[in-house]
Amino acid sequence: MKLRIIKETLRQIKYNEVMPELPEVETIVRCLRPHLSGLQVRSVRLLFPPIVRDPGRFPLKKLIGRWISGLRRRGKMILLDFSGGVTLIVHLKMTGQLLFCRQSKPPDKHTHFILGFSRPQRELRFRDVRKFGFIRAVRTAEAERTREISLLGPEPLELNRTAFLECLRGRRGRLKGLLLNQRVLAGIGNIYADEILYEAGLHPRTDVSHLGRLRLETLYAAISKVLEEAIVFKGTTVRDFRDGFGLEGLFQNRLCVYGRDGEACLRCGSRIKRIRLSGRSTHFCPRCQRRRV
Ligand SMILES: [Zn+2]
């Protein structure tokens, strides 16, 4: 019984480190885009005002009457563009969800913001149990200059190999920390950093400055492969992630190292290890990902 409680506590700690990353946010955007584009906002309901950043800059009521002209992702954030050059930046943080629900379904106590539309009988709800997420309305032209977006590095799936090598040139630091650093590459978090390094056969403690061109190219290929595959499988649901219609992702069934500590490596059979690195749980195979330096 005691062991089960300890195990559960560890699991909670682990879950607390999980937030929607690039594939999960991309899944939400792709799922909602065809349904939201062109809808006109009829009502704005703010049930928990502290989730709005910088509320004086652009009052949310001014969204009424505007059409949704686009939905896009930048790093781990969702950007909802409206007619008249207004953008709503949404960060889901750990437990945030953006759900396209039927109006007839009553919102629960964790729903903090609701956009109502003229048709169909649906509304867009921002739901967040832990309340770490936020929304912020800005002029579209200013979105890139906000503090949330201006410091982000490039999108990993938009970089070609040459640009990727250029992006890492002269950098130092352990690979795990480097992949988590949003100023270097935007969108990768704890789950995919571990999966990418496993795919590349690189130890998370290896310093990036010690990697030759070949290994950097292997890392580049691993980033693209893991992130693209995770998008195809609609993201990873460890606990809270849901797409725009409340459905779970499927990539959790394809994880090779994340959350598999103590289990056998799918390639060599060694036990997957978990260590603490850059303040986060880090999972790797000690045999397939030998430390080189
Ligand atoms: Zn292995």
Side-chain angles (χ1 to χ4, degrees), residues 170-290:
R171 291 203 183 264
R172 295 182 170 278
R174 290 166 173 169
L175 287 173
K176 175 72 187 252
L178 181 97
L179 290 178
L180 292 179
N181 186 345
Q182 301 301 298
R183 295 184 184 205
V184 179
L185 291 170
I188 299 171
N190 210 31
I191 295 177
Y192 296 105
D194 286 2
E195 294 297 311
I196 286 165
L197 291 174
Y198 175 77
E199 174 65 29
L202 293 168
H203 193 289
R205 273 205 175 103
T206 296
D207 195 293
V208 65
S209 62
H210 291 98
L211 296 186
R213 189 186 169 103
L214 205 63
R215 293 206 191 284
L216 285 173
E217 288 182 358
T218 305
L219 178 62
Y220 172 73
I223 290 172
S224 305
K225 182 173 185 271
V226 170
L227 294 179
E228 279 169 5
E229 199 179 320
I231 293 170
V232 168
F233 283 88
K234 300 182 187 299
T236 300
T237 298
V238 177
R239 194 181 58 178
D240 295 291
F241 169 66
R242 299 288 184 278
D243 74 5
F245 286 97
L247 298 174
E248 293 189 358
L250 296 167
F251 198 70
Q252 62 275 15
N253 305 317
R254 303 183 69 85
L255 295 173
C256 294
V257 283
Y258 184 84
R260 296 193 66 243
D261 35 307
E263 293 177 35
C265 168
L266 301 172
R267 283 183 190 150
C268 75
S270 301
R271 295 247 167 268
I272 300 297
K273 274 185 83 170
R274 178 158 64 100
I275 56 170
R276 205 79 189 153
L277 201 56
S278 300
R280 315 288 294 274
S281 294
T282 298
H283 311 74
F284 68 102
C285 170
R287 201 179 199 177
C288 295
Q289 296 168 264
R290 287 186 199 279

Side-chain angles (χ1 to χ4, degrees), residues 67-80:
W67 280 270
I68 294 181
S69 56
L71 191 61
R72 51 199 169 110
R73 180 190 58 76
R74 182 73 175 96
K76 300 174 188 174
M77 281 172 274
I78 298 165
L79 275 70
L80 261 165

Side-chain angles (χ1 to χ4, degrees), residues 68-240:
I68 294 181
S69 56
L71 191 61
R72 51 199 169 110
R73 180 190 58 76
R74 182 73 175 96
K76 300 174 188 174
M77 281 172 274
I78 298 165
L79 275 70
L80 261 165
D81 294 319
F82 294 85
S83 59
V86 177
T87 294
L88 201 62
I89 300 172
V90 182
H91 200 316
L92 303 172
K93 290 285 181 174
M94 287 188 200
T95 55
Q97 297 170 340
L98 202 58
L99 299 162
F100 196 47
C101 304
R102 291 194 183 283
Q103 274 176 356
S104 53
K105 185 184 169 191
D108 70 1
K109 63 174 181 175
H110 301 299
T111 302
H112 308 312
F113 174 69
I114 303 174
L115 277 184
F117 307 106
S118 44
R119 70 178 166 83
Q121 296 300 307
R122 283 184 177 265
E123 49 193 27
L124 187 67
R125 297 178 184 172
F126 178 76
R127 184 178 179 274
D128 188 1
V129 174
R130 299 282 299 271
K131 297 177 179 164
F132 288 125
F134 65 83
I135 57 175
R136 181 176 183 188
V138 293
R139 289 274 160 207
T140 305
E142 294 168 5
E144 288 294 324
R145 294 199 297 273
T146 57
R147 69 172 190 271
E148 289 85 3
I149 294 175
S150 63
L151 297 175
L152 291 179
E155 288 292 326
L157 292 179
E158 289 172 13
L159 283 178
N160 63 28
R161 195 184 307 169
T162 312
F164 175 77
L165 295 174
E166 191 54 38
C167 172
L168 295 192
R169 208 157 65 101
R171 291 203 183 264
R172 295 182 170 278
R174 290 166 173 169
L175 287 173
K176 175 72 187 252
L178 181 97
L179 290 178
L180 292 179
N181 186 345
Q182 301 301 298
R183 295 184 184 205
V184 179
L185 291 170
I188 299 171
N190 210 31
I191 295 177
Y192 296 105
D194 286 2
E195 294 297 311
I196 286 165
L197 291 174
Y198 175 77
E199 174 65 29
L202 293 168
H203 193 289
R205 273 205 175 103
T206 296
D207 195 293
V208 65
S209 62
H210 291 98
L211 296 186
R213 189 186 169 103
L214 205 63
R215 293 206 191 284
L216 285 173
E217 288 182 358
T218 305
L219 178 62
Y220 172 73
I223 290 172
S224 305
K225 182 173 185 271
V226 170
L227 294 179
E228 279 169 5
E229 199 179 320
I231 293 170
V232 168
F233 283 88
K234 300 182 187 299
T236 300
T237 298
V238 177
R239 194 181 58 178
D240 295 291

